[in-house]
Amino acid sequence: MIQKYIRTFLPVDYVLTDWRSIQPFYTNLLARDLSSLDGLTHFLADWSELEGVLEEDAGWRYIHTSCDTTDAVAKQRYEYYITAIAPHVAAVTDQLHRKVLDAKEAHLLRQETQYAIFFQKIENQLRCYSKENIPIHTEIQLNISKFGVISAAMMVEIAGKACTLQQAAAHLEATDRSFRKEVYDKIQERRLVDKEVLDALYSKLIQHRHQLALNAGFKNFRDYAFVSMNRFDYTPEDCFTFHSAIKEEIVPLLNELAADRKKKLGLAQLQPFDHAVDVAGRKPLRPFRDPEELVAKTITVFERLDPFLADCLRTMQQMGHLDLASRKGKAPGGYNYPLDETGVPFIFMNAASTLGDLVTMFHEGGHAVHAFLVHGLRLNAFKHCPSELAELASMSMELLTMPHWDVFFTDPEELHRAKKDHLIRVISCLPWMATIDAFQHWIYTHPEHTLAEREANWNRIFSDFSDSITDWSGYEVVKNNLWQKQLHLFEVPFYYIEYAIAQLGAIGVWQQAQVNPSQALCNYLNALKLGYTASMRTVYQTAGVSFDFSREHIRSLAQSVRKAWSRW
């Protein structure tokens, strides 16, 4: 199922080496006559092809650095793109944006929804563009990469074995409480070694981002980010309303869950290292032994849902587009990187054989399927969806696969336990999403804050969205710095509320699947196929769900999920 792609503008054998090797193609585009509709559409197609080639090249450079942060050659190639190619591309792209908006027949294309969105995005990029920002963007990208290097170097020794923090975290499911405490303490102590370095790095990123906003004529980076991220469908005020709804409807549920956990574990104090262990004292769920088994069984699950889904993953496996195991020197986290020209994305993660890793595989698999489905769209811009749509693809896949988790859990008790644990997580993760989003709103509207003010406001916000049962005595410093583990804060600012919005949509897809699984899957795939050729609300409607994060809607969804997990 190798994706087909044909170059018509760049030579088939073209390989990017430096700016001079790509500049003639941009010069060609800038010289085009756009007085006719045909000329304009041909121009957009060629520009899209050029972007696809560049973005795939940049993508591989990023992938190689995250797979091995110690690879000096990969680091040099990635930084060369950031410093010697990307600044030139940014400047000429601004010229192309202005050229296409001035095209005589642009108004005709605007009559089509897909192009109307495309032109809106260009207008937003023009609002955010400033020549003075080009070197700042370069500096930001270089600093962002430091977070991955710092995190990848974090190792601890557990039971005589050197472990990454992801591998170590799997031991927090152990039934031996003293062992859990030992593991938790080692993880947090290691994180705190880099506390000051990460504080300084984040402060530097905040100042650079604030300057981006000022240079572009915005009051602060929050307002700049909402425009640059093309948030056409909601405002900062809507986010605050969402935060309040989660606080009012979901945080009380966190308290119930924590109180129940404390009671069932028979503890006088529920501490932060007690949240991953099974409350019935059962051994940790280990759904797969190694990445090979994870991939093989995921393909089986996808095959049951739809053979097309399985073919997507097989293709990625055949092309070597999977790097799933956690290891020393590997960047933290997980992602699906869309490779625009070939259309075959790359999945990166840090698996340690936990249920969470299984869910991550389905999550990133949803992103991957999305990439395959949009590859045939006319323009690169149509394939690049806002995160609220991208995460609908991934989070819905987590839930759509659940009826087939018996592939991983042959024991009925373990199967029911896995499903219940995940449904609880689906709801209980919403407050953390609100926490990270609210924290960023404060951070970027108070860019001159001190470290003491940052800590105080983190604790204020964390307190608003966390249970009141967990006892943090002795772990106050850990709590003060919990935000430092969230890579999104460093690498992709304001990318987090999308998870919560998409989670609500995914629950809606799951509700449909309880009644009519085949229709739910059909609606889901049809929505994904749209890419960004339709509005966000239209895509959600196509999936059969509403784009709604009101308190009433959140309450209704939470009740539905809670009813389902109560069966187990």
Side-chain angles (χ1 to χ4, degrees):
M1 188 187 160
I2 304 299
Q3 299 281 67
K4 295 182 179 179
Y5 60 97
I6 301 173
R7 290 181 181 176
T8 58
F9 181 39
L10 278 72
V12 174
D13 59 352
Y14 172 78
V15 176
L16 176 67
T17 54
D18 55 20
W19 169 244
R20 287 185 300 176
S21 74
I22 201 74
Q23 185 177 18
F25 301 104
Y26 279 105
T27 301
N28 176 298
L29 291 173
L30 288 170
R32 297 275 185 95
D33 177 4
L34 302 187
S35 59
S36 70
L37 184 58
D38 284 346
L40 177 57
T41 55
H42 188 198
F43 167 88
L44 291 175
D46 286 347
W47 183 14
S48 179
E49 179 184 314
L50 178 57
E51 283 185 328
V53 171
L54 281 176
E55 288 169 5
E56 180 145 339
D57 182 279
W60 278 115
R61 293 173 193 243
Y62 174 80
I63 290 166
H64 290 146
T65 59
S66 56
C67 288
D68 184 358
T69 62
T70 68
D71 186 333
V73 174
K75 179 176 183 289
Q76 187 276 329
R77 291 191 75 251
Y78 177 62
E79 292 185 352
Y80 180 80
Y81 188 94
I82 290 172
T83 59
I85 297 176
H88 294 290
V89 173
V92 73
T93 298
D94 179 68
Q95 296 177 59
L96 292 173
H97 282 159
R98 297 177 191 280
K99 181 179 180 70
V100 77
L101 287 183
D102 290 340
K104 180 181 177 181
E105 305 295 346
H107 69 285
L108 295 176
L109 287 182
R110 283 180 184 267
Q111 294 173 19
E112 299 180 38
T113 300
Q114 57 190 359
Y115 283 106
I117 294 171
F118 171 73
F119 281 108
Q120 276 185 292
K121 288 168 64 179
I122 288 179
E123 288 164 348
N124 274 2
Q125 296 315 302
L126 286 175
R127 285 183 62 190
C128 294
Y129 180 79
S130 168
K131 185 177 180 180
E132 291 75 18
N133 280 346
I134 292 177
I136 299 177
H137 278 296
T138 300
E139 189 65 25
I140 287 173
Q141 288 303 119
L142 292 173
N143 279 309
I144 282 174
S145 64
K146 294 177 182 178
F147 177 78
V149 173
I150 293 168
S151 300
M154 294 182 182
M155 301 284 292
V156 293
E157 185 176 300
I158 306 296
K161 180 181 178 182
C163 298
T164 65
L165 298 195
Q166 291 79 12
Q167 292 167 335
H171 293 291
L172 295 175
E173 299 176 14
T175 55
D176 182 335
R177 192 169 190 242
S178 62
F179 179 59
R180 288 201 309 274
K181 182 180 187 305
E182 176 190 344
V183 172
Y184 188 83
D185 289 352
K186 286 185 176 182
I187 291 173
Q188 302 309 327
E189 286 166 6
R190 178 60 189 86
R191 286 194 183 280
L192 290 173
V193 168
D194 290 311
K195 173 196 175 317
E196 293 182 1
V197 174
L198 290 174
D199 266 334
L201 177 61
Y202 196 45
S203 294
K204 186 179 294 185
L205 287 167
I206 291 166
Q207 292 309 310
H208 282 324
R209 288 165 178 157
H210 184 59
Q211 193 60 50
L212 286 180
L214 296 181
N215 290 348
F218 291 86
K219 183 179 179 181
N220 56 61
F221 181 73
R222 191 271 310 275
D223 295 346
Y224 170 97
F226 267 66
V227 174
S228 68
M229 297 172 78
N230 301 307
R231 288 184 169 173
F232 301 126
D233 297 83
Y234 59 99
T235 65
E237 288 69 31
D238 291 326
C239 292
F240 301 149
T241 300
F242 196 10
H243 299 163
S244 295
I246 290 174
K247 181 179 179 180
E248 294 161 359
E249 296 296 332
I250 307 300
V251 172
L253 182 56
L254 285 190
N255 280 320
E256 288 184 37
L257 290 168
D260 182 66
R261 170 170 288 275
K262 178 181 177 182
K263 179 180 178 181
K264 288 180 176 176
L265 289 175
L267 299 175
Q269 295 175 315
L270 183 72
Q271 294 192 277
F273 50 82
D274 293 319
H275 282 272
V277 65
D278 180 67
V279 293
R282 293 166 293 191
K283 66 180 182 179
L285 293 171
R286 293 291 179 259
F288 59 93
R289 295 184 302 274
D290 51 42
E292 291 72 27
E293 183 180 7
L294 173 60
V295 174
K297 290 187 174 180
T298 302
I299 289 174
T300 300
V301 171
F302 279 11
E303 185 77 44
R304 287 188 185 180
L305 275 175
D306 187 317
F308 168 78
L309 308 183
D311 286 343
C312 292
L313 199 54
R314 286 193 191 97
T315 299
M316 297 173 70
Q317 184 183 37
Q318 291 163 7
M319 295 181 66
H321 285 210
L322 302 170
D323 187 343
L324 310 181
S326 179
R327 60 179 178 272
K328 182 180 180 180
K330 190 175 181 180
Y335 60 74
N336 174 84
Y337 204 111
L339 296 167
D340 291 325
E341 185 177 26
T342 60
V344 181
F346 187 99
I347 290 180
F348 169 99
M349 58 183 283
N350 280 275
S353 301
T354 66
L355 173 61
D357 295 328
L358 173 60
V359 172
T360 297
M361 186 67 207
F362 289 135
H363 180 102
E364 303 305 343
H367 281 310
V369 167
H370 200 184
F372 277 92
L373 288 171
V374 301
H375 181 61
L377 294 176
R378 186 180 306 171
L379 297 184
N380 222 34
F382 299 163
K383 306 171 191 178
H384 290 182
C385 300
S387 302
E388 297 84 353
L389 302 184
E391 297 305 339
L392 179 67
S394 59
M395 294 178 138
S396 296
M397 185 65 83
E398 296 174 14
L399 294 168
L400 287 170
T401 57
M402 283 181 66
H404 307 287
W405 283 13
D406 59 297
V407 171
F408 286 90
F409 302 100
T410 56
D411 179 274
E413 182 184 354
E414 287 196 343
L415 176 62
H416 292 157
R417 178 181 158 198
K419 289 181 177 181
K420 180 177 182 177
D421 285 356
H422 183 55
L423 288 177
I424 290 174
R425 177 186 171 278
V426 163
I427 294 299
S428 61
C429 69
L430 289 171
W432 177 256
M433 296 168 183
T435 302
I436 294 300
D437 189 60
F439 184 53
Q440 293 190 89
H441 279 272
W442 184 84
I443 285 289
Y444 289 108
T445 54
H446 299 80
E448 302 302 328
H449 64 266
T450 64
L451 291 180
E453 289 170 333
R454 182 185 301 171
E455 180 179 298
N457 279 278
W458 164 257
N459 281 313
R460 171 182 60 81
I461 294 167
F462 181 76
S463 177
D464 281 345
F465 296 105
S466 59
D467 72 81
S468 58
I469 307 300
T470 303
D471 186 350
W472 288 87
S473 298
Y475 291 98
E476 291 85 357
V477 176
V478 171
K479 182 161 70 76
N480 293 346
N481 296 280
L482 281 175
W483 62 269
Q484 289 191 343
K485 69 180 183 179
Q486 193 63 61
L487 68 82
H488 297 70
L489 294 172
F490 293 87
E491 297 186 358
V492 278
F494 281 101
Y495 185 170
Y496 219 70
I497 194 69
E498 297 93 333
Y499 289 113
I501 293 171
Q503 188 71 282
L504 302 185
I507 295 171
V509 171
W510 169 78
Q511 287 178 321
Q512 291 178 65
Q514 306 309 295
V515 179
N516 190 332
S518 60
Q519 187 60 55
L521 180 63
C522 181
N523 291 343
Y524 165 78
L525 294 175
N526 285 337
L528 267 53
K529 289 174 186 176
L530 290 173
Y532 206 12
T533 64
S535 71
M536 199 176 295
R537 293 179 187 277
T538 298
V539 175
Y540 271 64
Q541 288 167 5
T542 303
V545 299
S546 57
F547 187 81
D548 178 5
F549 35 91
S550 64
R551 180 176 178 180
E552 295 72 23
H553 188 55
I554 291 173
R555 181 191 306 134
S556 173
L557 294 177
Q559 289 173 347
S560 175
V561 175
R562 186 174 187 176
K563 182 179 179 181
W565 86 53
S566 297
R567 297 199 305 264
W568 298 308

